[in-house]
Amino acid sequence: VVVENIASSNSLRLTIDPSLSKAKSLERQAHIQKNESDLHFLTRMCKAHGAYFKLDGKNLWVGKKGVYSGPSLIINLKDVTSYRAIMNLRETFKTVEALFNEDGEAKLVSVGDGNDPKKRLIKTYKSESEALEAAKIALENASIQSMKFGFSCHGNPKIRAGIGLQVSGFKKGFDGTYFVDEVTHTIDPSGFLT
């Protein structure tokens, strides 16, 4: 409902990833927007719920971190003239703990296998369900690999920021779908390059 209100008030066409809309995690808690732009509020809200958003013209895409289900182009190794890929493994936890308040008493919940390393969330939540949801999102976020992939190819105007790019035929671990953050197209004496 919150995301729908932001999209509607800004005349944006909203697309929510089905896996996120089933979880309804963006609707579970009361969200208060005070002295902040819709952009800042949406950024804060998505971060708290393990989600991302992307503005593309008059479209607002909202999805679960680590999952992209919007429109994608396919790029194979034979399509590129050069590439680079950087994998950044985040610190992973096997267990995340969160506190919640019940009848004035702090209680602890945990998500994961119970083994070390553990992470305890700083915030104390209003209910057990909110604490469990926050711990679950923190555990999922800790396990997401951050991958950056850059390449050059013969000019392709279909490649633009805000789309998914499915790459294949590269090294193991690099193939997959990437979200395109930035694109540069150049035309010079050597031709059209992307």
Side-chain angles (χ1 to χ4, degrees), residues 84-88 146-150 174:
R84 69 176 175 17
I86 301 167
M87 183 183 292
N88 178 23
S146 175
M147 176 78 78
K148 291 189 178 189
F149 190 85
F174 295 131

Side-chain angles (χ1 to χ4, degrees), residues 3-99:
V3 178
E4 291 171 353
N5 290 342
I6 289 173
S8 175
S9 67
N10 291 284
S11 302
L12 298 170
R13 193 172 25 255
L14 176 64
T15 302
I16 299 178
D17 182 87
S19 64
L20 189 63
S21 61
K22 286 178 190 170
K24 297 191 181 210
S25 61
L26 292 176
E27 298 175 14
R28 287 191 179 166
Q29 299 175 11
H31 297 283
I32 299 171
Q33 181 178 10
K34 187 175 180 182
N35 296 326
E36 63 185 335
S37 67
D38 286 346
L39 185 63
H40 184 266
F41 178 62
L42 194 54
T43 300
R44 183 172 56 83
M45 187 175 62
C46 285
K47 183 178 180 182
H49 293 284
Y52 74 90
F53 75 93
K54 178 68 179 176
L55 288 169
D56 178 17
K58 284 290 187 178
N59 297 301
L60 173 61
W61 301 88
V62 180
K64 186 175 175 131
K65 274 188 185 173
V67 177
Y68 179 74
S69 63
S72 295
L73 289 176
I74 298 172
I75 296 291
N76 296 304
L77 179 59
K78 65 179 176 51
D79 299 324
V80 305
T81 55
S82 66
Y83 73 94
R84 69 176 175 17
I86 301 167
M87 183 183 292
N88 178 23
L89 295 175
R90 294 180 174 193
E91 183 177 5
T92 58
F93 306 101
K94 297 194 179 211
T95 304
V96 176
E97 300 173 332
L99 293 169

